[in-house]
Amino acid sequence: MGLKIYNSLSRQLEDFSPLTEGHVSMYSCGPTVYDYIHIGNARTALVTDIIRRYLTYKGYVVKLVQNLTDIDDKIIDRAQTLGTSPSQLARTNGEAYFEDTQRLGIQLADVHPKATEHIPEMIKLIQTLIDKDAAYVVDGSVYYRVNSFSEYGKLSRRKPEDLLAGARVEVDERKEDPRDFDMWKAAKPGEPYWDSPWGCGRPGWHIECSCMAMKHLGETIDIHAGGEDLLFPHHENEIAQSELATGKPFARYWVHVAFLKINGTRMGKSEKNFIFLRDALDKYPSEVIRHFLISAHYRHPLDYNPESLQTSESALRRLNNCLETLKKYDIEEYNSASQDISQADTALLSAIETMQSQFTDAMDTDFNTAQAIGGIFSLVGQVNKSFGTSSGISHQTYSRAYKVLSETCQVLGIYTMNEQDVAGTAEILNPLLELLLEIRQNARNQKDWDTSDKIRDQLKQLNIEIQDTHEGSTWKFRS
Ligand code: AMP
Ligand code: ZN
Protein backbone atom coordinates (compact mmCIF):
# COMPACT_ATOMS: atom_id res chain seq x y z
CA MET A 1 0.00 0.00 0.00
CA GLY A 2 1.33 3.45 -0.88
CA LEU A 3 0.75 6.71 0.95
CA LYS A 4 -2.78 8.08 0.98
CA ILE A 5 -3.63 11.60 2.04
CA TYR A 6 -7.04 13.01 2.88
CA ASN A 7 -7.36 15.96 0.54
CA SER A 8 -9.70 18.66 1.88
CA LEU A 9 -10.25 19.78 -1.72
CA SER A 10 -11.81 16.49 -2.86
CA ARG A 11 -12.82 15.46 0.66
CA GLN A 12 -11.42 12.05 -0.10
CA LEU A 13 -8.49 9.86 0.78
CA GLU A 14 -6.29 10.06 -2.33
CA ASP A 15 -3.20 8.17 -3.44
CA PHE A 16 -0.26 10.47 -3.02
CA SER A 17 1.83 11.09 -6.07
CA PRO A 18 3.98 14.23 -6.18
CA LEU A 19 4.33 16.39 -9.25
CA THR A 20 8.01 15.55 -9.62
CA GLU A 21 8.87 11.95 -8.85
CA GLY A 22 10.80 11.59 -5.61
CA HIS A 23 10.37 15.26 -4.62
CA VAL A 24 7.70 16.90 -2.49
CA SER A 25 7.04 20.62 -2.18
CA MET A 26 5.14 21.58 0.94
CA TYR A 27 3.86 24.88 2.32
CA SER A 28 2.53 25.33 5.82
CA CYS A 29 0.85 28.50 7.09
CA GLY A 30 2.97 29.74 9.94
CA PRO A 31 2.20 31.99 12.88
CA THR A 32 1.19 35.59 13.02
CA VAL A 33 3.90 36.74 15.39
CA TYR A 34 2.04 39.02 17.78
CA ASP A 35 2.52 36.76 20.82
CA TYR A 36 4.09 33.46 21.94
CA ILE A 37 2.51 30.36 20.43
CA HIS A 38 0.14 28.19 22.42
CA ILE A 39 0.01 24.40 22.33
CA GLY A 40 -2.87 24.55 19.81
CA ASN A 41 -0.64 26.37 17.33
CA ALA A 42 2.04 23.83 18.20
CA ARG A 43 -0.24 20.95 17.16
CA THR A 44 -0.43 22.30 13.60
CA ALA A 45 3.31 22.98 13.45
CA LEU A 46 4.04 19.51 14.81
CA VAL A 47 1.81 17.76 12.28
CA THR A 48 3.69 19.55 9.50
CA ASP A 49 6.98 18.42 11.06
CA ILE A 50 5.83 14.81 11.24
CA ILE A 51 4.49 14.76 7.69
CA ARG A 52 7.83 16.05 6.51
CA ARG A 53 9.78 13.52 8.62
CA TYR A 54 7.63 10.65 7.34
CA LEU A 55 7.94 11.68 3.70
CA THR A 56 11.71 11.86 4.19
CA TYR A 57 11.66 8.40 5.87
CA LYS A 58 9.88 7.11 2.76
CA GLY A 59 12.72 8.43 0.63
CA TYR A 60 11.25 11.67 -0.74
CA VAL A 61 13.32 14.82 -0.95
CA VAL A 62 11.06 17.35 0.76
CA LYS A 63 11.22 21.11 0.47
CA LEU A 64 9.20 22.69 3.27
CA VAL A 65 8.34 26.37 3.38
CA GLN A 66 6.65 27.91 6.41
CA ASN A 67 5.96 31.63 6.51
CA LEU A 68 5.94 34.14 9.32
CA THR A 69 3.17 36.73 9.10
CA ASP A 70 5.08 39.67 10.53
CA ILE A 71 2.70 42.47 9.52
CA ASP A 72 -0.97 42.29 10.42
CA ASP A 73 -3.70 44.15 12.32
CA LYS A 74 -3.10 42.03 15.43
CA ILE A 75 0.61 42.89 15.43
CA ILE A 76 -0.10 46.59 15.01
CA ASP A 77 -2.73 46.60 17.79
CA ARG A 78 -0.57 44.62 20.21
CA ALA A 79 2.48 46.80 19.54
CA GLN A 80 0.40 49.87 20.28
CA THR A 81 -0.82 48.38 23.57
CA LEU A 82 2.72 47.45 24.58
CA GLY A 83 4.21 50.76 23.43
CA THR A 84 6.62 49.14 21.02
CA SER A 85 6.92 49.11 17.23
CA PRO A 86 5.20 46.41 15.14
CA SER A 87 8.55 45.39 13.62
CA GLN A 88 10.19 45.04 17.05
CA LEU A 89 7.24 43.03 18.39
CA ALA A 90 7.28 40.77 15.32
CA ARG A 91 11.04 40.24 15.61
CA THR A 92 10.87 39.31 19.29
CA ASN A 93 7.95 36.93 18.82
CA GLY A 94 9.48 35.46 15.66
CA GLU A 95 12.61 34.58 17.63
CA ALA A 96 10.47 33.16 20.44
CA TYR A 97 8.61 31.03 17.88
CA PHE A 98 11.83 29.38 16.73
CA GLU A 99 13.03 28.92 20.29
CA ASP A 100 9.76 27.24 21.34
CA THR A 101 9.34 25.03 18.28
CA GLN A 102 12.94 23.91 18.42
CA ARG A 103 12.50 22.99 22.06
CA LEU A 104 9.61 20.83 20.88
CA GLY A 105 11.95 19.10 18.44
CA ILE A 106 10.33 20.68 15.38
CA GLN A 107 12.92 20.84 12.64
CA LEU A 108 13.43 24.12 10.83
CA ALA A 109 11.70 24.41 7.46
CA ASP A 110 13.93 24.84 4.41
CA VAL A 111 12.71 28.42 4.09
CA HIS A 112 10.93 30.61 6.64
CA PRO A 113 9.92 33.60 4.51
CA LYS A 114 8.69 36.76 6.19
CA ALA A 115 5.88 38.76 4.65
CA THR A 116 7.72 42.08 5.05
CA GLU A 117 10.61 40.73 3.00
CA HIS A 118 8.38 39.95 -0.02
CA ILE A 119 6.58 43.24 -0.62
CA PRO A 120 7.85 43.78 -4.23
CA GLU A 121 6.76 40.23 -5.21
CA MET A 122 3.33 40.80 -3.64
CA ILE A 123 2.90 44.09 -5.51
CA LYS A 124 3.77 42.27 -8.74
CA LEU A 125 1.22 39.53 -8.10
CA ILE A 126 -1.49 42.07 -7.24
CA GLN A 127 -0.66 43.98 -10.45
CA THR A 128 -1.02 40.75 -12.46
CA LEU A 129 -4.50 40.29 -11.00
CA ILE A 130 -5.45 43.91 -11.74
CA ASP A 131 -4.24 43.43 -15.33
CA LYS A 132 -6.44 40.35 -15.61
CA ASP A 133 -9.41 42.36 -14.37
CA ALA A 134 -9.57 40.20 -11.28
CA ALA A 135 -8.89 43.06 -8.91
CA TYR A 136 -9.81 46.73 -8.53
CA VAL A 137 -8.47 49.76 -6.71
CA VAL A 138 -10.53 51.90 -4.34
CA ASP A 139 -8.95 54.78 -2.39
CA GLY A 140 -5.50 53.22 -2.41
CA SER A 141 -6.70 49.72 -1.43
CA VAL A 142 -6.85 46.82 -3.88
CA TYR A 143 -9.66 44.26 -3.72
CA TYR A 144 -9.87 40.83 -5.30
CA ARG A 145 -12.98 40.49 -7.46
CA VAL A 146 -14.37 37.14 -6.29
CA ASN A 147 -16.83 37.07 -9.19
CA SER A 148 -13.95 36.82 -11.64
CA PHE A 149 -12.99 33.34 -10.42
CA SER A 150 -15.69 30.87 -11.38
CA GLU A 151 -14.32 28.17 -9.09
CA TYR A 152 -14.46 30.36 -5.99
CA GLY A 153 -15.76 28.24 -3.09
CA LYS A 154 -14.39 24.95 -4.40
CA LEU A 155 -12.33 24.26 -1.27
CA SER A 156 -14.86 25.26 1.36
CA ARG A 157 -17.84 24.20 -0.81
CA ARG A 158 -19.62 27.35 0.23
CA LYS A 159 -22.22 28.75 -2.10
CA PRO A 160 -22.25 32.51 -2.73
CA GLU A 161 -25.11 33.00 -0.25
CA ASP A 162 -23.24 31.07 2.47
CA LEU A 163 -20.10 33.02 1.70
CA LEU A 164 -21.82 36.25 2.57
CA ALA A 165 -22.46 34.90 6.03
CA GLY A 166 -18.89 33.56 6.26
CA ALA A 167 -16.50 34.35 9.05
CA ARG A 168 -13.98 37.18 8.72
CA VAL A 169 -15.81 38.77 5.74
CA GLU A 170 -15.82 42.45 6.60
CA VAL A 171 -18.64 44.81 5.73
CA ASP A 172 -17.15 47.52 3.52
CA GLU A 173 -19.22 49.66 1.19
CA ARG A 174 -16.20 50.23 -1.05
CA LYS A 175 -16.37 46.60 -2.19
CA GLU A 176 -18.27 45.70 -5.37
CA ASP A 177 -19.33 42.46 -3.71
CA PRO A 178 -19.21 41.73 0.03
CA ARG A 179 -17.22 38.56 -0.73
CA ASP A 180 -14.35 40.56 -2.24
CA PHE A 181 -11.29 40.76 -0.02
CA ASP A 182 -8.38 43.15 0.22
CA MET A 183 -4.98 42.27 -1.15
CA TRP A 184 -3.53 45.71 -0.45
CA LYS A 185 -4.67 47.93 2.42
CA ALA A 186 -4.25 51.70 2.09
CA ALA A 187 -2.12 53.05 4.95
CA LYS A 188 -3.88 54.38 8.02
CA PRO A 189 -2.18 57.08 10.10
CA GLY A 190 0.48 55.73 12.43
CA GLU A 191 0.68 52.31 10.76
CA PRO A 192 3.68 50.84 8.96
CA TYR A 193 3.47 51.15 5.17
CA TRP A 194 5.28 50.48 1.92
CA ASP A 195 5.11 52.36 -1.38
CA SER A 196 3.07 50.83 -4.17
CA PRO A 197 1.55 51.87 -7.52
CA TRP A 198 -1.72 52.43 -5.60
CA GLY A 199 -0.23 54.56 -2.83
CA CYS A 200 1.26 53.76 0.58
CA GLY A 201 -0.10 50.69 2.27
CA ARG A 202 0.53 47.12 3.33
CA PRO A 203 -0.36 43.66 2.01
CA GLY A 204 -3.39 41.62 3.05
CA TRP A 205 -2.85 38.27 4.75
CA HIS A 206 -4.02 36.03 1.89
CA ILE A 207 -1.76 37.53 -0.79
CA GLU A 208 1.24 36.98 1.51
CA CYS A 209 0.82 33.21 1.48
CA SER A 210 -0.01 32.96 -2.27
CA CYS A 211 3.05 34.97 -3.06
CA MET A 212 5.54 33.31 -0.70
CA ALA A 213 4.36 29.79 -1.53
CA MET A 214 4.75 30.34 -5.28
CA LYS A 215 8.02 32.25 -5.00
CA HIS A 216 9.73 29.49 -3.02
CA LEU A 217 7.98 26.38 -4.37
CA GLY A 218 6.72 27.20 -7.85
CA GLU A 219 3.25 27.81 -9.25
CA THR A 220 1.91 24.39 -8.28
CA ILE A 221 2.84 22.89 -4.93
CA ASP A 222 2.24 19.35 -3.73
CA ILE A 223 1.00 19.78 -0.16
CA HIS A 224 -0.46 22.85 1.52
CA ALA A 225 -1.11 22.55 5.26
CA GLY A 226 -2.66 24.66 8.00
CA GLY A 227 -5.12 24.58 10.87
CA GLU A 228 -8.78 23.84 10.07
CA ASP A 229 -9.75 27.46 10.74
CA LEU A 230 -7.68 28.55 7.76
CA LEU A 231 -9.67 26.56 5.20
CA PHE A 232 -12.05 29.48 4.79
CA PRO A 233 -11.49 32.22 3.89
CA HIS A 234 -7.69 32.12 3.94
CA HIS A 235 -7.02 29.06 1.80
CA GLU A 236 -10.05 29.65 -0.43
CA ASN A 237 -8.64 33.11 -1.16
CA GLU A 238 -5.10 31.82 -1.69
CA ILE A 239 -6.49 29.47 -4.35
CA ALA A 240 -8.50 32.24 -6.01
CA GLN A 241 -5.52 34.59 -6.23
CA SER A 242 -2.91 32.05 -7.28
CA GLU A 243 -4.98 30.09 -9.80
CA LEU A 244 -6.35 33.15 -11.50
CA ALA A 245 -2.85 34.62 -11.77
CA THR A 246 -1.16 31.50 -13.16
CA GLY A 247 -3.99 29.49 -14.73
CA LYS A 248 -2.56 26.42 -12.95
CA PRO A 249 -3.68 24.41 -9.92
CA PHE A 250 -2.16 26.00 -6.82
CA ALA A 251 -1.91 23.11 -4.33
CA ARG A 252 -2.58 19.46 -5.12
CA TYR A 253 -3.24 18.13 -1.59
CA TRP A 254 -4.79 20.31 1.11
CA VAL A 255 -4.17 19.13 4.67
CA HIS A 256 -6.10 20.67 7.56
CA VAL A 257 -5.30 20.00 11.20
CA ALA A 258 -8.18 19.79 13.68
CA PHE A 259 -8.18 21.99 16.75
CA LEU A 260 -6.63 21.29 20.05
CA LYS A 261 -9.40 21.88 22.54
CA ILE A 262 -9.58 22.58 26.22
CA ASN A 263 -12.77 21.61 28.09
CA GLY A 264 -14.39 21.02 24.71
CA THR A 265 -13.67 24.52 23.36
CA ARG A 266 -11.04 25.46 20.79
CA MET A 267 -7.82 26.62 22.41
CA GLY A 268 -7.29 30.14 21.11
CA LYS A 269 -6.03 33.57 21.95
CA SER A 270 -9.47 35.13 21.69
CA GLU A 271 -10.99 32.40 23.86
CA LYS A 272 -8.35 33.23 26.51
CA ASN A 273 -8.08 29.55 27.41
CA PHE A 274 -4.65 28.88 26.01
CA ILE A 275 -1.45 27.49 27.44
CA PHE A 276 1.74 28.87 25.97
CA LEU A 277 3.96 26.16 24.51
CA ARG A 278 6.94 27.53 26.47
CA ASP A 279 5.05 27.19 29.77
CA ALA A 280 4.11 23.60 28.94
CA LEU A 281 7.75 22.92 28.00
CA ASP A 282 8.88 24.22 31.39
CA LYS A 283 6.63 21.64 33.03
CA TYR A 284 7.00 18.59 30.81
CA PRO A 285 9.81 17.12 28.71
CA SER A 286 9.26 18.01 25.08
CA GLU A 287 8.80 14.42 23.92
CA VAL A 288 5.94 14.07 26.39
CA ILE A 289 4.17 17.04 24.80
CA ARG A 290 4.91 15.64 21.33
CA HIS A 291 3.53 12.27 22.33
CA PHE A 292 0.37 13.89 23.67
CA LEU A 293 -0.14 16.08 20.58
CA ILE A 294 0.14 13.15 18.18
CA SER A 295 -1.81 10.70 20.32
CA ALA A 296 -4.89 11.45 18.19
CA HIS A 297 -5.09 11.45 14.41
CA TYR A 298 -4.51 15.00 13.15
CA ARG A 299 -8.03 15.30 11.69
CA HIS A 300 -9.64 14.46 15.03
CA PRO A 301 -10.03 17.05 17.74
CA LEU A 302 -7.80 16.49 20.74
CA ASP A 303 -8.68 17.66 24.23
CA TYR A 304 -6.00 19.04 26.50
CA ASN A 305 -5.98 18.03 30.13
CA PRO A 306 -3.18 17.47 32.62
CA GLU A 307 -4.07 13.76 32.97
CA SER A 308 -3.35 13.15 29.27
CA LEU A 309 0.09 14.63 29.71
CA GLN A 310 0.69 12.40 32.71
CA THR A 311 -0.33 9.40 30.63
CA SER A 312 2.11 10.49 27.93
CA GLU A 313 4.81 10.97 30.55
CA SER A 314 4.49 7.43 31.85
CA ALA A 315 4.33 6.04 28.30
CA LEU A 316 7.54 7.85 27.43
CA ARG A 317 9.21 6.50 30.55
CA ARG A 318 8.42 2.97 29.38
CA LEU A 319 9.70 3.76 25.91
CA ASN A 320 12.96 5.26 27.15
CA ASN A 321 13.54 2.39 29.54
CA CYS A 322 13.04 -0.04 26.69
CA LEU A 323 15.30 1.78 24.23
CA GLU A 324 18.02 2.51 26.75
CA THR A 325 18.12 -1.15 27.76
CA LEU A 326 18.03 -2.33 24.14
CA LYS A 327 20.87 0.04 23.32
CA LYS A 328 23.15 -2.08 25.51
CA TYR A 329 22.56 -4.98 23.15
CA ASP A 330 23.28 -2.89 20.11
CA ILE A 331 27.04 -3.26 20.40
CA GLU A 332 29.36 -3.72 17.46
CA GLU A 333 31.89 -6.13 18.90
CA TYR A 334 29.14 -8.61 19.50
CA ASN A 335 29.67 -11.76 17.44
CA SER A 336 26.34 -12.50 15.86
CA ALA A 337 27.45 -15.80 14.26
CA SER A 338 27.73 -17.50 17.63
CA GLN A 339 24.05 -17.20 18.51
CA ASP A 340 21.35 -19.72 17.92
CA ILE A 341 17.84 -18.61 17.10
CA SER A 342 15.50 -19.73 19.86
CA GLN A 343 11.73 -19.97 19.79
CA ALA A 344 11.55 -16.79 21.83
CA ASP A 345 13.69 -15.07 19.17
CA THR A 346 11.38 -16.18 16.40
CA ALA A 347 8.36 -14.87 18.29
CA LEU A 348 9.94 -11.50 19.03
CA LEU A 349 11.33 -11.14 15.50
CA SER A 350 7.89 -11.73 14.10
CA ALA A 351 6.43 -9.14 16.52
CA ILE A 352 9.08 -6.65 15.36
CA GLU A 353 8.25 -7.19 11.68
CA THR A 354 4.51 -6.91 12.42
CA MET A 355 5.06 -3.64 14.25
CA GLN A 356 7.17 -2.26 11.42
CA SER A 357 4.54 -2.98 8.81
CA GLN A 358 1.75 -1.71 11.12
CA PHE A 359 3.70 1.51 11.51
CA THR A 360 4.01 2.00 7.75
CA ASP A 361 0.36 1.08 7.15
CA ALA A 362 -0.80 3.52 9.82
CA MET A 363 1.37 6.39 8.58
CA ASP A 364 0.49 5.58 4.97
CA THR A 365 -3.16 5.96 5.89
CA ASP A 366 -3.20 9.74 6.10
CA PHE A 367 -0.43 9.92 8.72
CA ASN A 368 -2.34 8.07 11.44
CA THR A 369 0.07 8.73 14.29
CA ALA A 370 -2.39 7.39 16.89
CA GLN A 371 -2.31 3.93 15.33
CA ALA A 372 1.42 4.11 14.68
CA ILE A 373 2.06 4.85 18.37
CA GLY A 374 -0.26 2.00 19.38
CA GLY A 375 1.91 -0.47 17.44
CA ILE A 376 5.15 0.91 18.88
CA PHE A 377 3.90 0.63 22.45
CA SER A 378 2.60 -2.85 22.10
CA LEU A 379 6.09 -3.94 21.02
CA VAL A 380 7.66 -1.89 23.82
CA GLY A 381 5.45 -3.73 26.33
CA GLN A 382 6.53 -7.08 24.93
CA VAL A 383 10.23 -6.19 24.96
CA ASN A 384 10.13 -4.68 28.45
CA LYS A 385 8.49 -7.82 29.77
CA SER A 386 11.29 -9.97 28.39
CA PHE A 387 14.05 -8.05 30.20
CA GLY A 388 15.40 -9.64 33.33
CA THR A 389 13.67 -12.94 32.67
CA SER A 390 15.46 -15.93 31.27
CA SER A 391 13.64 -15.40 28.01
CA GLY A 392 16.42 -16.80 25.85
CA ILE A 393 16.23 -13.84 23.49
CA SER A 394 19.50 -13.25 21.67
CA HIS A 395 21.47 -10.03 21.33
CA GLN A 396 20.76 -10.00 17.58
CA THR A 397 17.03 -9.98 18.16
CA TYR A 398 17.29 -7.19 20.73
CA SER A 399 19.56 -5.34 18.33
CA ARG A 400 16.92 -5.62 15.62
CA ALA A 401 14.24 -4.42 18.07
CA TYR A 402 16.40 -1.40 18.90
CA LYS A 403 16.93 -0.54 15.24
CA VAL A 404 13.26 -0.75 14.28
CA LEU A 405 11.93 0.96 17.41
CA SER A 406 14.44 3.79 17.36
CA GLU A 407 13.90 4.42 13.64
CA THR A 408 10.13 4.60 13.92
CA CYS A 409 10.32 6.73 17.07
CA GLN A 410 12.67 9.07 15.25
CA VAL A 411 10.05 9.63 12.57
CA LEU A 412 7.63 10.72 15.30
CA GLY A 413 10.39 12.60 17.10
CA ILE A 414 9.58 10.98 20.44
CA TYR A 415 13.01 9.53 21.06
CA THR A 416 16.16 10.84 19.42
CA MET A 417 15.28 14.51 19.49
CA ASN A 418 15.77 14.30 23.19
CA GLU A 419 18.83 12.15 23.17
CA GLN A 420 20.60 14.91 25.07
CA ASP A 421 17.87 15.05 27.70
CA VAL A 422 17.79 11.29 27.92
CA ALA A 423 21.59 11.14 28.12
CA GLY A 424 21.53 13.94 30.69
CA THR A 425 18.96 12.12 32.79
CA ALA A 426 20.77 8.80 32.39
CA GLU A 427 24.05 10.42 33.37
CA ILE A 428 22.61 11.40 36.74
CA LEU A 429 20.13 8.59 37.20
CA ASN A 430 22.47 5.67 36.60
CA PRO A 431 25.14 6.53 39.21
CA LEU A 432 22.42 7.63 41.64
CA LEU A 433 20.66 4.30 41.41
CA GLU A 434 23.96 2.42 41.59
CA LEU A 435 24.62 4.29 44.85
CA LEU A 436 21.18 3.41 46.21
CA LEU A 437 21.68 -0.23 45.26
CA GLU A 438 25.02 -0.24 47.06
CA ILE A 439 23.50 1.26 50.22
CA ARG A 440 20.73 -1.31 50.04
CA GLN A 441 23.25 -4.13 49.58
CA ASN A 442 25.18 -2.96 52.66
CA ALA A 443 21.92 -2.91 54.61
CA ARG A 444 21.14 -6.44 53.46
CA ASN A 445 24.63 -7.62 54.42
CA GLN A 446 23.94 -6.28 57.92
CA LYS A 447 20.47 -7.87 57.87
CA ASP A 448 18.93 -4.38 58.08
CA TRP A 449 15.79 -5.49 56.25
CA ASP A 450 13.85 -2.32 57.14
CA THR A 451 16.24 -0.09 55.20
CA SER A 452 16.56 -2.55 52.38
CA ASP A 453 12.77 -2.89 51.98
CA LYS A 454 12.22 0.85 52.32
CA ILE A 455 14.57 1.55 49.41
CA ARG A 456 12.91 -1.13 47.29
CA ASP A 457 9.35 0.01 48.09
CA GLN A 458 9.98 3.70 47.62
CA LEU A 459 11.68 3.13 44.29
CA LYS A 460 8.72 1.02 43.28
CA GLN A 461 6.49 4.03 43.87
CA LEU A 462 8.69 5.90 41.40
CA ASN A 463 8.09 3.09 38.91
CA ILE A 464 11.59 1.71 39.36
CA GLU A 465 11.85 -1.99 40.06
CA ILE A 466 14.79 -3.61 41.81
CA GLN A 467 15.65 -7.16 40.83
CA ASP A 468 17.82 -9.27 43.09
CA THR A 469 19.83 -11.83 41.15
CA HIS A 470 22.77 -14.14 42.00
CA GLU A 471 25.11 -11.55 40.41
CA GLY A 472 23.72 -8.73 42.55
CA SER A 473 20.85 -6.27 42.25
CA THR A 474 19.78 -4.45 39.11
CA TRP A 475 17.05 -1.90 38.41
CA LYS A 476 14.65 -1.15 35.62
CA PHE A 477 11.68 1.05 34.93
CA ARG A 478 8.48 -0.89 35.35
CA SER A 479 6.60 -1.40 32.08
P1 AMP B 1 -2.42 32.05 14.13
O1 AMP B 1 -1.13 32.55 14.72
O2 AMP B 1 -3.63 32.29 14.98
O3 AMP B 1 -2.60 32.51 12.68
O4 AMP B 1 -2.28 30.43 14.05
C1 AMP B 1 -1.16 29.77 13.56
C2 AMP B 1 -1.54 28.36 13.15
O5 AMP B 1 -2.04 27.62 14.28
C3 AMP B 1 -2.65 28.30 12.10
O6 AMP B 1 -2.34 27.28 11.17
C4 AMP B 1 -3.89 27.98 12.90
O7 AMP B 1 -4.85 27.32 12.14
C5 AMP B 1 -3.31 27.06 13.97
N1 AMP B 1 -4.13 27.00 15.19
C6 AMP B 1 -4.64 28.04 15.92
N2 AMP B 1 -5.35 27.57 17.01
C7 AMP B 1 -5.29 26.21 16.96
C8 AMP B 1 -5.81 25.14 17.79
N3 AMP B 1 -6.50 25.38 18.90
N4 AMP B 1 -5.53 23.88 17.43
C9 AMP B 1 -4.80 23.60 16.32
N5 AMP B 1 -4.28 24.56 15.49
C10 AMP B 1 -4.52 25.86 15.80
ZN1 ZN C 1 -1.33 31.14 4.94
Side-chain angles (χ1 to χ4, degrees):
M1 187 182 92
L3 172 62
K4 288 182 190 300
I5 300 183
Y6 180 86
N7 189 348
S8 310
L9 189 60
S10 64
R11 299 197 185 173
Q12 274 174 12
L13 211 54
E14 291 181 15
D15 288 329
F16 178 68
S17 139
L19 204 56
T20 308
E21 209 188 317
H23 291 256
V24 180
S25 55
M26 182 168 175
Y27 185 86
S28 171
C29 288
T32 303
V33 281
Y34 68 101
D35 205 344
Y36 298 141
I37 59 161
H38 56 68
I39 51 178
N41 304 131
R43 184 184 194 194
T44 300
L46 184 57
V47 168
T48 301
D49 181 60
I50 285 181
I51 292 179
R52 184 228 226 158
R53 283 174 189 242
Y54 185 62
L55 291 169
T56 308
Y57 170 79
K58 281 186 84 75
Y60 290 108
V61 177
V62 184
K63 182 170 179 188
L64 173 66
V65 175
Q66 192 201 38
N67 71 298
L68 289 187
T69 296
D70 60 346
I71 182 69
D72 175 83
D73 290 343
K74 284 186 263 186
I75 297 175
I76 296 170
D77 292 349
R78 179 63 63 89
Q80 220 152 29
T81 311
L82 297 176
T84 181
S85 69
S87 60
Q88 181 54 45
L89 181 72
R91 200 166 29 249
T92 313
N93 285 320
E95 280 162 15
Y97 174 75
F98 291 118
E99 242 171 60
D100 294 352
T101 49
Q102 279 175 39
R103 276 178 77 190
L104 190 61
I106 292 179
Q107 296 168 346
L108 283 174
D110 297 282
V111 191
H112 283 285
K114 290 183 179 151
T116 55
E117 290 171 2
H118 292 73
I119 305 288
E121 291 93 334
M122 290 174 202
I123 290 177
K124 199 165 156 221
L125 183 56
I126 296 171
Q127 190 59 54
T128 304
L129 289 165
I130 294 177
D131 295 345
K132 288 181 179 258
D133 221 17
Y136 54 95
V137 185
V138 184
D139 299 338
S141 290
V142 185
Y143 293 93
Y144 183 90
R145 184 176 281 123
V146 166
N147 227 352
S148 62
F149 185 57
S150 61
E151 292 179 87
Y152 193 80
K154 70 176 171 180
L155 179 67
S156 58
R157 311 249 175 125
R158 292 186 188 213
K159 298 186 195 79
E161 57 272 23
D162 304 334
L163 290 169
L164 294 179
R168 296 203 200 182
V169 174
E170 298 155 28
V171 179
D172 185 343
E173 63 277 8
R174 291 177 302 177
K175 293 181 188 175
E176 289 176 5
D177 179 328
R179 297 174 304 162
D180 295 350
F181 54 89
D182 48 17
M183 294 189 293
W184 188 260
K185 297 166 190 273
K188 289 191 203 135
E191 288 187 359
Y193 62 85
W194 288 263
D195 287 333
S196 83
W198 321 289
C200 298
R202 59 187 168 93
W205 175 36
H206 317 305
I207 199 74
E208 295 176 1
C209 282
S210 279
C211 175
M212 292 187 278
M214 292 198 289
K215 170 169 177 189
H216 295 284
L217 295 169
E219 291 177 340
T220 301
I221 61 181
D222 288 310
I223 302 175
H224 194 314
E228 63 178 333
D229 55 327
L230 303 190
L231 192 142
F232 182 83
H234 185 52
H235 291 159
E236 192 74 68
N237 292 353
E238 278 188 48
I239 292 176
Q241 296 165 147
S242 312
E243 298 198 351
L244 217 148
T246 66
K248 295 178 188 159
F250 174 49
R252 303 173 63 241
Y253 300 86
W254 284 91
V255 169
H256 288 101
V257 181
F259 286 144
L260 179 74
K261 297 189 169 185
I262 185 159
N263 300 322
T265 312
R266 171 204 171 165
M267 182 178 287
K269 296 273 164 63
S270 38
E271 287 79 358
K272 296 198 172 57
N273 60 359
F274 57 87
I275 293 163
F276 283 133
L277 174 59
R278 54 179 49 205
D279 292 339
L281 282 164
D282 286 343
K283 256 175 123 173
Y284 299 96
S286 55
E287 75 271 31
V288 168
I289 299 172
R290 270 183 93 102
H291 178 275
F292 161 67
L293 288 174
I294 60 173
S295 60
H297 182 236
Y298 77 87
R299 279 193 290 118
H300 294 165
L302 174 66
D303 219 64
Y304 169 84
N305 58 58
E307 293 81 54
S308 318
L309 280 166
Q310 277 152 21
T311 307
S312 289
E313 196 163 30
S314 83
L316 260 294
R317 213 177 289 133
R318 285 195 290 139
L319 176 71
N320 281 336
N321 177 37
C322 178
L323 286 164
E324 290 304 298
T325 311
L326 283 175
K327 216 186 223 174
K328 294 179 199 144
Y329 294 96
D330 196 40
I331 41 172
E332 275 179 27
E333 66 268 24
Y334 168 70
N335 177 7
S336 58
S338 64
Q339 294 287 313
D340 292 329
I341 296 286
S342 69
Q343 249 184 348
D345 281 318
T346 314
L348 189 55
L349 281 169
S350 136
I352 295 166
E353 299 322 307
T354 305
M355 177 255 144
Q356 198 174 23
S357 65
Q358 273 173 354
F359 176 83
T360 312
D361 286 350
M363 293 300 282
D364 271 350
T365 311
D366 196 28
F367 312 107
N368 194 333
T369 50
Q371 254 176 39
I373 289 179
I376 289 175
F377 277 88
S378 103
L379 182 61
V380 164
Q382 238 169 303
V383 173
N384 275 351
K385 235 183 252 163
S386 73
F387 293 146
T389 63
S390 44
S391 61
I393 291 169
S394 70
H395 280 226
Q396 283 131 303
T397 304
Y398 278 143
S399 229
R400 175 89 191 128
Y402 179 73
K403 186 171 183 301
V404 172
L405 277 172
S406 60
E407 264 176 20
T408 47
C409 289
Q410 253 175 61
V411 175
L412 303 178
I414 52 173
Y415 179 56
T416 48
M417 63 164 200
N418 273 325
E419 232 165 12
Q420 262 185 343
D421 286 3
V422 171
T425 312
E427 252 166 44
I428 298 169
L429 202 60
N430 286 335
L432 208 60
L433 278 155
E434 291 307 321
L435 181 67
L436 270 176
L437 290 187
E438 203 184 308
I439 294 170
R440 183 166 171 270
Q441 192 53 49
N442 288 342
R444 279 160 69 92
N445 293 345
Q446 287 162 26
K447 301 202 178 347
D448 176 1
W449 308 118
D450 282 347
T451 306
S452 152
D453 289 351
K454 189 173 176 191
I455 293 174
R456 189 198 54 212
D457 295 342
Q458 300 228 333
L459 284 175
K460 204 170 178 179
Q461 282 184 18
L462 298 170
N463 241 359
I464 295 170
E465 194 170 303
I466 292 187
Q467 289 163 326
D468 296 312
T469 68
H470 292 305
E471 288 82 42
S473 302
T474 58
W475 65 273
K476 67 166 191 168
F477 283 118
R478 290 199 303 158
S479 54

